[in-house]
């Protein structure tokens, strides 16, 4: 916002060499380079670079929190910008002139505590992360008493349907905003909407720098992170590590994700905790079609994009010849869409599988429920699932599941509810499918497992973690 810099709170005023750790300087030098500032499209490059030079020289006594806020915002805006590309003049927001300060606008003081939920997307797609963030929105609204309110900020969505809000929120939601994939708009909205908040819940690690910047401007603000899976199974930059260390708590969807995060970023005991994903409160947990009466259908539901090859769909297709040799009337039905579909279809044709492998594309919820009820086994031998919400959805229909012994999947599938195989072992996968199709499963045990991950326990666990 034009008056962003006038809102910074007084903080450290020591010159750079006397306070900052030496390893921060290369990151900040690169971030405050004119081309980096220009790519972000947020601030005037010359004035911002001069501001940084004055701070390093010790001639500018303005506070450290202001320097760090600017750095993390510029870094966030540049995170996915092509190297060397500059924001077009038409797409740039009004630049901030650091040489002057305007009078701050009056801030309305409220006695209510507020929580801001920041999401990469929430209603625009049906992926695992958006579905879980809807659950967080509903839980935060349900947990907010008369003394609290909730705000929602979404980066990628372009519109929010009122029906969706009524379904996953209540009258405690007092503000929401969508940014149509525009990062500059997201940053400005985050800093505006975080005013009056005491808590931020970040729906993705990529948005953590914005929460840190908001906390620099409001030191009383606490922020939390939801860690979903592969996005935190990696080495972190220095800025990311600092942002992770500043979080009040990090909610990991599985213990595997917790261990992987800690392997790449050492954090104090108790900061990184497990909060398993849960089923949507509107997802009915009830087996409607007995397994014994169903045909030997294997169902897979996933994105069919080239980037998601690790989901193991091609391994399912490659296993089908051996499965058909043992179970001639077996069928593999695949729900999903994406740019990898032609390659997978070609693989099916190469194996001469014909109608034994069917691609159903995108299906609506009612059709999806019928597909779950009509299968005897759900299978997704994925290598990198942080949790595997779709396994729970299959279990909620009383269906056993087959997954890879990888990621967070073993925390979802038990011996009574399914089978695990080594990722990429096609012969082993075929034998597991054959065994699962021929086994007599206890559907009540499968439904009980699904209820273990229902909405109410999730909401209570979230309440406990936010209060601790």
């Amino acid at each position: 916002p034009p008056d962003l810099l006038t809102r910074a709170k007084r903080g450290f005023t020591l010159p750079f060499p006397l306070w900052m750790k030496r390893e921060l300087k290369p990151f900040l030098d690169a971030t405050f380079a004119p081309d980096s500032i220009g790519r972000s499209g947020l601030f005037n490059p010359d004035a911002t670079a001069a501001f940084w030079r004055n701070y390093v020289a010790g001639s500018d006594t303005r506070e450290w929190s202001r320097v760090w806020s600017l750095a993390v915002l510029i870094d966030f805006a540049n995170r996915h910008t092509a190297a060397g590309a500059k924001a077009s003049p038409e797409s740039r927001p009004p630049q901030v002139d650091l040489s002057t300060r305007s009078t701050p606008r009056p801030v309305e003081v409220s006695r209510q505590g507020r929580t801001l939920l920041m999401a990469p997307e929430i209603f625009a797609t049906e992926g695992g992360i958006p579905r879980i963030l809807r659950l967080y929105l509903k839980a935060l609204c349900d947990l907010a008493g008369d003394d609290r309110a909730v705000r929602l900020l979404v980066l990628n969505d372009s519109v929010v349907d009122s029906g969706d809000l009524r379904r996953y929120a209540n009258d405690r939601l007092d503000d929401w905003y969508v940014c149509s994939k525009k990062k500059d708009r997201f940053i400005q909205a985050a800093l505006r909407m975080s005013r009056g908040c005491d808590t931020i819940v970040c729906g993705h690690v990529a948005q953590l720098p914005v929460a840190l910047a908001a906390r620099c401007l409001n030191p009383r603000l606490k922020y939390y992170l939801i860690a979903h899976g592969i996005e935190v199974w990696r080495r972190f930059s220095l800025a990311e590590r600092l942002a992770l260390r500043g979080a009040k708590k990090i909610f990991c969807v599985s213990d595997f994700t917790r261990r992987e995060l800690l392997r790449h970023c050492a954090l104090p005991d108790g900061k990184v905790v497990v909060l398993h994903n849960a089923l949507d409160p509107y997802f009915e947990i009830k087996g409607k079609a007995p397994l014994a009466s169903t045909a030997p259908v294997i169902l897979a539901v996933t994105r069919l994009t080239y980037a998601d090859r690790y989901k193991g769909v091609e391994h399912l297709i490659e296993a089908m010849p051996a499965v058909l040799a043992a179970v001639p009337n077996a069928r593999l039905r695949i729900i999903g869409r994406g740019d990898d579909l032609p390659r997978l279809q070609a693989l099916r044709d190469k194996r001469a599988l014909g109608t034994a492998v069917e691609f159903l594309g995108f299906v609506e919820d009612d059709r999806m429920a019928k597909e779950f009820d009509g299968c005897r086994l759900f299978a997704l031998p994925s290598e990198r699932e942080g949790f595997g919400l779709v396994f729970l959805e299959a279990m909620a229909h009383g269906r056993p599941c087959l997954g890879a012994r990888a990621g967070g999947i073993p925390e979802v599938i038990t011996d009574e509810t399914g089978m695990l195989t080594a990722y990429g072992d096609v012969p082993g996968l075929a034998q597991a499918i054959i065994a699962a199709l021929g086994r007599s499963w206890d559907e009540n045990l499968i439904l009980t497992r699904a209820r273990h991950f229902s909405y109410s326990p999730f909401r209570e666990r979230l309440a406990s973690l936010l209060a601790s």
Side-chain angles (χ1 to χ4, degrees):
D3 60 342
L4 164 64
L5 300 180
T6 68
R7 301 179 186 173
K9 308 298 182 184
R10 284 292 173 187
F12 295 99
T13 58
L14 295 177
F16 173 89
L18 299 179
W19 187 79
M20 281 196 306
K21 293 182 179 179
R22 289 183 179 179
E23 60 264 30
L24 275 178
K25 193 171 186 299
F27 163 74
L28 290 170
D29 279 337
T31 301
F32 283 111
D35 61 335
S36 170
I37 302 166
R39 283 200 307 276
S40 75
L42 291 174
F43 307 107
N44 179 282
D46 294 336
T48 308
F51 161 72
W52 168 241
R53 289 194 300 270
N54 289 338
Y55 188 84
V56 173
S59 59
D60 189 333
T61 60
R62 285 173 286 192
E63 65 277 7
W64 158 252
S65 62
R66 184 181 175 194
V67 172
W68 186 244
S69 297
L70 288 172
V72 294
L73 293 178
I74 293 168
D75 181 66
F76 175 79
N78 289 340
R79 187 74 55 84
H80 300 294
T81 302
K86 292 186 178 182
S88 65
E90 294 80 8
S91 66
R92 293 181 183 177
Q95 293 178 329
V96 177
D97 183 356
L98 289 112
S99 63
T100 61
R101 292 192 179 197
S102 59
T103 304
R105 290 180 293 183
V107 177
E108 181 182 352
V109 178
S110 172
R111 295 181 180 178
Q112 284 189 316
R114 285 188 172 89
T115 298
L116 172 62
L117 174 62
M118 300 197 307
E121 53 193 22
I122 195 164
F123 296 120
T125 68
E126 290 298 319
I129 291 177
R131 283 184 289 160
I132 289 306
L133 294 181
R134 293 172 209 164
L135 209 65
Y136 271 88
L137 174 62
K138 180 168 178 57
L140 290 170
C141 288
D142 286 350
L143 293 171
D146 294 338
D147 60 338
R148 293 202 65 80
V150 177
R151 293 173 174 174
L152 172 66
L153 175 62
V154 190
L155 173 60
N156 292 330
D157 290 29
S158 298
V159 295
V160 173
D161 186 87
S162 60
D164 291 329
L165 285 182
R166 286 193 297 270
R167 188 174 177 86
Y168 291 97
N170 55 30
D171 59 0
R172 307 317 299 160
L173 183 68
D174 73 349
D175 194 10
W176 61 91
Y177 191 73
V178 294
C179 300
S180 301
K181 300 183 180 181
K182 293 180 171 59
K183 279 193 173 184
D184 56 334
R185 186 183 298 176
F186 181 86
I187 293 170
Q188 294 177 21
L191 298 180
R192 173 182 61 82
M193 295 176 74
S194 64
R195 296 170 63 198
C197 292
D198 54 25
T199 303
I200 293 179
V201 177
C202 288
H204 195 280
V205 68
Q207 297 174 340
L208 209 57
V210 181
L212 177 59
R215 212 270 300 275
C216 286
L217 302 179
N218 178 10
R220 293 173 295 179
L221 190 65
K222 299 176 295 185
Y223 64 87
Y224 300 80
L225 170 67
I226 305 166
H228 302 278
I230 59 175
E231 82 281 3
V232 296
W233 302 352
R234 60 177 175 82
R235 294 183 63 182
F236 298 101
S237 68
L238 176 62
E240 288 173 328
R241 291 199 303 273
L242 290 172
L244 286 167
R245 288 167 185 158
K248 175 70 174 177
K249 273 188 170 54
I250 300 169
F251 305 142
C252 296
V253 302
S254 62
D255 189 58
F256 181 87
T257 291
R258 184 190 69 84
R259 296 195 308 269
E260 283 296 296
L261 191 153
L262 288 173
R263 188 165 71 88
H264 293 98
C265 182
L267 294 169
D269 292 341
K271 183 182 286 288
V272 186
V273 297
V274 176
L275 176 53
H276 286 129
N277 288 341
L279 286 163
D280 190 289
Y282 302 106
F283 203 101
E284 187 178 17
I285 302 177
K286 183 180 179 181
K288 295 181 179 180
L291 275 171
S293 66
T294 59
V297 172
I298 306 114
L299 180 67
V301 180
T302 185
R303 294 185 302 273
L304 301 180
T305 65
Y306 190 74
D308 291 316
R309 299 187 308 282
Y310 64 84
K311 298 285 187 178
V313 174
E314 66 180 274
H315 299 150
L316 287 173
I317 297 172
E318 291 173 339
M320 282 304 292
V323 172
L324 290 169
V327 188
N329 59 336
R331 297 291 181 269
L332 172 62
R333 294 170 68 80
I334 302 169
I335 293 175
R337 58 188 175 185
D339 59 11
D340 203 32
L341 177 58
R343 185 183 71 89
L344 295 172
Q345 289 173 326
L347 178 61
R348 174 197 59 186
D349 297 340
K350 181 180 179 181
R351 298 288 187 269
L353 292 168
T355 58
V357 176
E358 298 178 88
F359 293 92
L360 307 182
F362 172 80
V363 302
E364 298 289 347
D365 289 346
D366 290 346
R367 171 78 181 280
M368 181 81 77
K370 291 178 181 178
E371 292 293 335
F372 276 125
D373 289 334
C375 76
R376 192 181 297 179
L377 175 69
F378 179 83
L380 190 66
S382 175
E383 183 185 26
R384 304 180 202 168
E385 296 301 305
F387 180 77
L389 181 63
V390 70
F391 294 113
L392 290 187
E393 294 174 345
M395 291 180 195
H397 287 266
R399 287 342 188 211
C401 297
L402 190 153
R405 194 177 293 104
I409 295 176
E411 297 175 47
V412 182
I413 300 176
T414 64
D415 291 340
E416 293 79 20
T417 60
M419 302 179 71
L420 298 171
T421 67
Y423 175 77
D425 178 7
V426 173
L429 176 61
Q431 290 305 309
I433 292 173
I434 294 167
L437 290 175
R439 177 173 162 179
S440 178
W441 298 92
D442 187 333
E443 293 172 58
N444 288 326
L445 289 177
I446 297 174
L447 293 171
T448 298
R449 182 64 174 169
R451 293 188 186 99
H452 178 75
F453 294 98
S454 59
Y455 170 70
S456 294
F458 167 85
R459 181 187 60 205
E460 298 312 313
R461 170 75 168 153
L462 177 61
S464 174
L465 291 173
L466 290 172
S468 62

